[in-house]
Amino acid sequence: MMKRSLVCVPVLVLAMGHCSGAIAAGPPADAAAAAAARQRVVDHWTPERRAAATPRDLFLDPHGKAYMRRADGALIAYGRAGGDQLSASNPVPAARPGGGGGGGSDATPPSISGMAPADGATIAASATFSAVITDASGIRSVSFVVTYPDGVTTQSFTPTFVGNDTWETNLQGFSDGQWSWQVVAKDAAKGGGNTATSAPSGFAVDTGGGGSGGGGGGGGSYITTNAGWVGGGVVQTAAGRIYFEMPGNPKRKGGWSGYVCSGTVATDATSGRSVILTAAHCVYDDANKAFARNVLFIPNQDATTGTGTDRDCSNDPLGCWVPSFGAVDVNWTTRTFPDNVAWDYAFYVVRDSGAHSGTSAGSEVLDVAVTPMAISFATPAYDDGDPSATSVDFTHALGYSYSDDPTFMYCAEDMTLEGTVNWWLPSCGLSGGASGGPWVQPMSGGDGPLISVNSWGYTTAPGMAGPKFSGTSTECVFGEARGVDFLAVPTTDGDAGIAVSCP
């Protein structure tokens, strides 16, 4: 077993002067105090604050400069001074994808026209799919749903808004046969919006006898770039949305901003607590050197009976939980993205008592109310050369969507390497809010071992990176999250966490 120790750094004032040595688990804090702290966090997340929270998604440009994407799609400099900013790579629709642009009286669904390929068209192994979609309230989300020649199998894709009311995406990997597709669009009207579904548009595929080896549209590769998860299983309830706040500057003055990420309840074999796996950048602000505050975890928010951006934990199927603190590798805290990408894994720790609010989940204990997922610290399969969905390196990455709130989304394809410290899913196009969501390999019946989390992407191309768990400090940090005494961790804003020093 690796030796573990805690290290004191300027922003982490650990109680009782513990700067090294594993801290033994101690008795829980006063239950009434824990319940009061939970209620403060739940009350903090008003509908307005939840609606204003934005994804905390990190990106690199071709020169290695770091950015974080704003709600309007623009990329702002991350972790460095100056006015370095990239405008949105594409225009944005009249209402932001997350909604908020419509009036409450709008009961008219979006208008869908100009679908290409048109009904009866013939395409080759790849083609650009597009549609013109309009609505007075703006467009919240759009999906292109392709039906295979068997008439049963379908695959959904999230297109890009390119201006002039047009949404499009390039799909490839089609095989010969008769296919069809349709458009599903939801507007940004209040009350959840109105949904329109186009009539199926049939098209033929003629590859000239050559077929196609792989790509985003189906065929032999079965790549999914960004689609709503319909597989159910353990991952459906173990994964959830995380709301939290980070400071606007290192002095923690001038306001804190709300963000959303994703996380997954992990099997910890420890009593008194539950542990949520997520990304380090969803736990600790490495630019402003502070732990998150007002953290709220909502498992299976996809099944909410609300609109997704409300404060009512009673309309979420399992309610909400308030973590007590986070745990990261000290290397994430002492460096700044992208120099710390190798350590972009972290954990939130939730008490067994006093942390739950809302719907009765059958148990107040998070990892009893949901079935947790096991973390694998072994080296997963990658680059096996088999492009099919049955290959040993076929990997699912999942996370909660900001633009399709509250839908649980996923991408799936063969896993490869990006550099020496990251796994890579080259076609993954998960929408904002997925950061920290689970990577599962292999996925079977909605369950499987957790091998990584959604970490970062490039500004100019699709793809998602995930940190390695094998051969890293992930297991060491996990061990401290399972064992550190609640009373040894500060509770003040910005300091509620531990930075773990591992061999």
Side-chain angles (χ1 to χ4, degrees), residues 276-374:
I276 300 167
L277 168 68
T278 187
H281 71 265
C282 303
V283 173
Y284 184 88
D285 186 335
D286 57 320
N288 293 314
K289 306 303 179 186
F291 280 97
R293 74 174 190 182
N294 291 324
V295 184
L296 186 69
F297 177 68
I298 311 173
N300 195 19
Q301 197 195 24
D302 183 90
T304 182
T305 57
T307 60
T309 51
D310 60 22
R311 68 183 297 172
D312 188 359
C313 291
S314 66
N315 64 22
D316 297 308
L318 298 171
C320 308
W321 273 265
V322 175
S324 294
F325 64 89
V328 298
D329 188 294
V330 70
N331 287 285
W332 179 263
T333 70
T334 57
R335 310 180 190 209
T336 304
F337 179 77
D339 294 337
N340 52 8
V341 293
W343 298 278
D344 195 15
Y345 41 78
F347 303 91
Y348 276 118
V349 180
V350 182
R351 294 180 185 276
D352 278 359
S353 60
H356 179 249
S357 179
T359 307
S360 173
S363 174
E364 294 292 295
V365 178
L366 176 57
D367 59 9
V368 174
V370 309
T371 301
M373 300 179 70

Side-chain angles (χ1 to χ4, degrees), residues 53-261:
T54 60
R56 192 170 177 83
D57 296 337
L58 302 180
F59 297 87
L60 293 177
D61 71 9
H63 305 290
K65 290 184 177 180
Y67 296 87
M68 187 164 62
R69 193 186 299 281
R70 294 191 323 199
D72 64 1
L75 293 161
I76 58 174
Y78 182 83
R80 61 184 186 280
D84 189 8
Q85 176 174 323
L86 298 178
S87 61
S89 56
N90 293 291
V92 295
R96 67 176 178 85
S105 61
D106 180 10
T108 304
S111 172
I112 302 170
S113 62
M115 291 174 59
D119 191 42
T122 299
I123 67 169
S126 64
T128 297
F129 285 64
S130 65
V132 176
I133 306 170
T134 59
D135 190 273
S137 298
I139 304 301
R140 183 189 299 269
S141 64
V142 177
S143 295
F144 290 175
V145 182
V146 177
T147 301
Y148 283 57
D150 63 10
V152 176
T153 305
T154 62
Q155 194 166 354
S156 296
F157 302 90
T158 300
T160 299
F161 181 75
V162 296
N164 296 322
D165 299 320
T166 301
W167 298 72
E168 69 175 38
T169 188
N170 182 267
L171 302 180
Q172 54 187 317
F174 289 101
S175 57
D176 292 334
Q178 296 293 322
W179 299 66
S180 67
W181 74 294
Q182 56 193 136
V183 178
V184 179
K186 178 184 288 188
D187 67 19
K190 294 181 179 179
N194 307 293
T195 301
T197 302
S198 71
S201 180
F203 62 94
V205 175
D206 182 0
T207 63
S212 178
S221 67
Y222 296 97
I223 292 174
T224 299
T225 58
N226 186 34
W229 176 250
V230 294
V234 171
V235 73
Q236 181 77 46
T237 53
R241 191 191 300 276
I242 303 174
Y243 284 95
F244 59 98
E245 290 185 314
M246 294 293 196
N249 55 66
K251 294 183 178 180
R252 306 178 192 174
K253 298 183 183 295
W256 291 58
S257 298
Y259 295 97
V260 290
C261 276

